[in-house]
Amino acid sequence: QLRLVEYGGGLVQPGGSLRLSCAASGFTLAYYTIGWFRQAPGKEREGVSCVNSRGVGARYADSVKGRFTVSVGNAENTVYLQMNDLKPEDTATYYCARRRGPICASKITEEGYNTWGQGTQVTVSS
């Protein structure tokens, strides 16, 4: 069964860090791009980052550049999103999704992403 499961969300103070995991099952990461998206209450879902299975060509939304880092653990069939210097505006439900092909578009949109995880909540608050 094809499945993506996100882990690692939680409550953190501003300036803190979290690492999210996106565990893939039922398929291997090869030939796919994994995207990270987030949706805050009352807002549309937005692209945060994406990376291909080789861990190259990663893209980031301007709002997270320099603070978030995406990486791939092929042995674990998992993609990670390290989030540092978190801000209250990072509060959202974070989702990972897969899209066939090795290219991350410069603008991270939902186009082509056809398998989604259930999401994990990240709350940044003092």
Side-chain angles (χ1 to χ4, degrees):
Q1 181 181 4
L2 298 174
R3 197 174 179 202
L4 292 169
V5 179
E6 300 93 340
Y7 299 96
L11 173 65
V12 64
Q13 292 186 342
S17 298
L18 283 174
R19 188 176 81 155
L20 304 184
S21 301
C22 172
S25 60
F27 70 100
T28 61
L29 293 176
Y31 310 118
Y32 292 96
T33 290
I34 297 296
W36 284 98
F37 298 82
R38 67 185 182 187
Q39 187 167 25
K43 294 188 176 181
E44 293 187 354
R45 190 155 55 187
E46 63 173 347
V48 174
S49 181
C50 64
V51 69
N52 66 21
S53 62
R54 300 177 69 180
V56 297
R59 302 284 190 176
Y60 299 92
D62 288 343
S63 58
V64 307
K65 278 181 183 176
R67 300 188 297 122
F68 289 13
T69 303
V70 66
S71 61
V72 180
N74 281 299
E76 302 89 3
N77 216 34
T78 298
V79 176
Y80 303 98
L81 184 68
Q82 178 67 42
M83 307 187 296
N84 297 329
D85 189 23
L86 283 160
K87 304 177 180 181
E89 51 263 43
D90 294 318
T91 295
T93 301
Y94 283 71
Y95 301 88
C96 64
R98 76 161 196 180
R99 184 173 67 86
R100 193 164 184 87
I103 306 297
C104 281
S106 57
K107 182 172 172 60
I108 306 164
T109 70
E110 295 185 23
E111 183 179 355
Y113 288 92
N114 56 18
T115 301
W116 291 78
Q118 82 291 348
T120 185
Q121 178 67 36
V122 172
T123 302
V124 185
S125 175
S126 56

